[in-house]
Amino acid sequence: MRMVDIIEKKRDNHTLKKDEIDFFIQGYTKGDIPDYQISSLMMAIYFNGMNDAEATHLTEAILNSGDTIDLSSIDGIKVDKHSTGGVGDKTTLVLGPLVAACGAKFAKLSGRGLGHTGGTLDKLESIAGFNISLDNESFIKQVNDLNIAVAGQTSSLAPADKLLYALRDVTGTVPSIPLIAASIMSKKLASGADVIVLDVKIGEGAFMKTLEDARELSRIMVKIGKNFNKKIIAFITDMSEPLGFAVGNKLEVVEAIQTLQGNGPKDLHKLCKEIGAYLIHHAGLTANVADARDMIEEKINNLEASDKFKAMVESQDGTFPDLNDYIKTNGIIAVKSESSGYVKALNALDIGLAAMRLGAGRATKDDTIDPDVGIVLNKKVGDKVEKDEVLAYIYNNKDDITAEIKTVLEAFRITEEFQEEKPLIIEIIE
Ligand code: URA
């Protein structure tokens, strides 16, 4: 088989066969096929797409390029969720302990954040001592003992994805729906769960900007998951404004704990409850989704969910935070409204970028994170605002944050007419 023939076939909009897809993934992972040929193929896929069978074969080839996690020694149904990334998205920190408290097994491998979106590992590592590098044996033991463990993805998981992603990043071929679907699903399938919820974010702060693209990405990923006999569903959710109020690592940990204790923002609570109810029901723990929602409320009210978070933190060598003495910054600046009215829009991307520049995120892979800094919103879309009322608080450690204050202020669009809150869950694709 010759790589040039595969490139020409896709260039001319024909369908690639499984053995051709296996050939280029294996060849590229081994270093036998050069970057320029794979770049050319990625561009042909970007323009001509892939059908569902090709996307499934691609997922399988990437999955088989490295290790898979064998969770068979965990008793019970393993559940997982994946978010395509957003601003203030601390869902894993809330959802994991919630479903674990309900009896599901949450064996989660997470990643770091880059750019304006934060990563679960960075949030967990803001907790003093928290160890994200569990070996397989300790990971499985902890899930068997506590129903939950969250650890970092190792480089041996789907190595072809790392190579391909790095190449796509510099060749303008990231935004191809079948390539994104295969990239995400290969990692999800390699981590071995039985029931999966995909949280596909849409809006300013997200990867997918339009509902059509979010639908298509969700449809393909659900199809791939079903081809691998998984119970899988995609929620398309709003990311035009940040999720919850807190953006920044320790600030988000605090908000996650408050949500687990029943005092969190209502959008975050709702999303975790809906995703959690699907996972719990499909793990066979309740007769229907409505009962699963009730079980979730019960585990929040009786504090079993927040106890589960504490147990996980301690089992992974962390110190459970004292919420009254946790965030240490040089200053907290209040950003005040220059007019009265209603919040019409709150640009998640701008808030994410401002938080990143304060030090809460990374502009490049090698940047270090300041865990204490970030932004806590005081108003969200639909809220009434008076002139000089606080829109947001900036937790900072820098000498000069004039630019970040301006960005946060400009992220809010205040108008005179009343603005309804936006629906959080836009569509569900099964
Ligand atoms: N996230 C991934 O893991 N892969 C992509 O290709 C895009 C987003």
Side-chain angles (χ1 to χ4, degrees):
M1 206 176 287
R2 293 190 325 154
M3 187 60 202
V4 64
D5 298 326
I6 298 175
I7 297 170
E8 286 173 6
K9 196 168 173 187
K10 189 39 83 180
R11 179 199 65 195
D12 297 340
N13 205 8
H14 298 299
T15 303
L16 299 182
K17 296 207 197 83
K18 179 172 171 14
D19 61 344
E20 292 164 330
I21 293 173
D22 287 341
F23 174 82
F24 80 75
I25 291 295
Q26 284 167 13
Y28 190 48
T29 314
K30 278 194 255 157
D32 295 346
I33 300 174
D35 283 352
Y36 55 81
Q37 284 190 306
I38 299 292
S39 309
S40 172
L41 178 66
M42 292 297 114
M43 192 57 88
I45 294 173
Y46 173 84
F47 280 113
N48 289 329
M50 280 185 140
N51 66 25
D52 292 354
E54 288 175 293
T56 304
H57 295 322
L58 180 60
T59 306
E60 192 172 4
I62 299 174
L63 167 70
N64 290 336
S65 70
D67 294 342
T68 52
I69 311 284
D70 180 7
L71 299 181
S72 58
S73 54
I74 296 175
D75 300 327
I77 307 285
K78 279 76 71 179
V79 304
D80 197 358
K81 76 107 199 175
H82 177 84
S83 158
T84 57
V87 179
D89 185 2
K90 69 283 290 175
T91 313
T92 297
L93 303 188
V94 181
L95 181 75
L98 260 182
V99 297
C102 292
K105 304 287 178 178
F106 193 74
K108 175 117 183 95
L109 297 177
S110 279
R112 295 191 183 282
L114 185 61
H116 70 281
T117 63
T120 300
L121 289 188
D122 300 318
K123 293 169 204 186
L124 285 172
E125 278 190 324
S126 74
I127 299 173
F130 195 95
N131 175 20
I132 52 109
S133 313
L134 299 181
D135 59 42
N136 265 3
E137 204 182 316
S138 322
F139 182 74
I140 287 176
K141 180 172 183 325
Q142 190 177 310
V143 181
N144 269 327
D145 292 348
L146 295 180
N147 290 357
I148 181 168
V150 182
Q153 271 165 21
T154 63
S155 53
S156 58
L157 205 79
D161 179 63
K162 283 180 195 73
L163 293 171
L164 278 181
Y165 194 88
L167 188 70
R168 285 167 56 213
D169 204 20
V170 292
T171 55
T173 51
V174 168
S176 151
I177 288 179
L179 292 179
I180 296 173
S183 164
I184 292 176
M185 289 306 294
S186 60
K187 287 173 286 192
K188 272 299 93 177
L189 295 167
S191 359
D194 309 300
V195 185
I196 301 168
V197 170
L198 303 166
D199 180 6
V200 177
K201 307 264 182 217
I202 166 177
E204 289 303 331
F207 233 128
M208 296 288 115
K209 305 290 182 208
T210 68
L211 183 55
E212 289 64 36
D213 283 352
R215 271 193 193 127
E216 179 58 6
L217 178 63
S218 303
R219 189 197 63 73
I220 298 190
M221 291 198 292
V222 167
K223 183 81 202 287
I224 294 171
K226 287 187 174 161
N227 288 343
F228 283 85
N229 295 321
K230 302 293 175 186
K231 286 193 174 136
I232 182 163
I233 187 172
F235 284 65
I236 299 180
T237 68
D238 181 58
M239 187 36 76
S240 56
E241 66 176 334
L243 185 64
F245 297 112
V247 182
N249 296 284
K250 283 191 182 180
L251 293 166
E252 293 191 43
V253 169
V254 171
E255 189 166 84
I257 295 170
Q258 288 166 338
T259 307
L260 285 166
Q261 295 174 342
N263 306 317
K266 61 177 192 248
D267 55 352
L268 179 63
H269 174 98
K270 181 173 166 96
L271 186 61
C272 295
K273 182 165 154 179
E274 292 305 312
I275 294 179
Y278 177 88
L279 292 175
I280 289 163
H281 171 55
H282 286 276
L285 295 164
T286 57
N288 52 51
V289 175
D291 287 356
R293 288 192 190 102
D294 291 345
M295 192 192 266
I296 284 175
E297 288 299 345
E298 185 193 317
K299 300 296 176 189
I300 291 176
N301 293 335
N302 67 14
L303 297 183
E304 280 183 39
S306 70
D307 287 348
K308 190 57 88 178
F309 187 64
K310 184 165 188 279
M312 174 185 79
V313 167
E314 288 173 354
S315 176
Q316 293 187 229
D317 305 328
T319 306
F320 189 71
D322 168 2
L323 298 193
N324 298 317
D325 184 30
Y326 188 47
I327 315 276
K328 311 260 190 247
T329 56
N330 292 343
I332 303 175
I333 304 279
V335 179
K336 296 187 179 164
S337 179
E338 291 173 346
S339 57
S340 299
Y342 293 90
V343 180
K344 170 103 181 148
L346 168 52
N347 189 310
L349 177 60
D350 288 345
I351 297 292
L353 288 173
M356 182 190 83
R357 288 180 196 127
L358 288 166
R362 293 183 191 83
T364 71
K365 277 207 306 306
D366 303 322
D367 286 352
T368 49
I369 279 186
D370 181 342
D372 291 279
V373 300
I375 297 163
V376 177
L377 303 167
N378 194 44
K379 297 284 177 185
K380 295 202 46 177
V381 172
D383 285 347
K384 191 168 188 327
V385 186
E386 301 298 338
K387 185 171 182 304
D388 288 331
E389 226 189 323
V390 176
L391 295 172
Y393 295 96
I394 299 184
Y395 288 66
N396 76 93
N397 275 330
K398 284 181 30 177
D399 294 334
D400 179 7
I401 60 160
T402 318
E404 287 82 3
I405 294 173
K406 184 165 179 286
T407 306
V408 171
L409 191 58
E410 287 174 358
F412 283 86
R413 197 144 73 80
I414 316 270
T415 59
E416 278 176 14
E417 80 265 23
F418 173 70
Q419 170 66 43
E420 297 260 7
E421 280 176 33
K422 285 194 166 176
L424 176 65
I425 298 172
I426 297 165
E427 221 166 274
I428 292 179
I429 311 269
E430 294 196 60

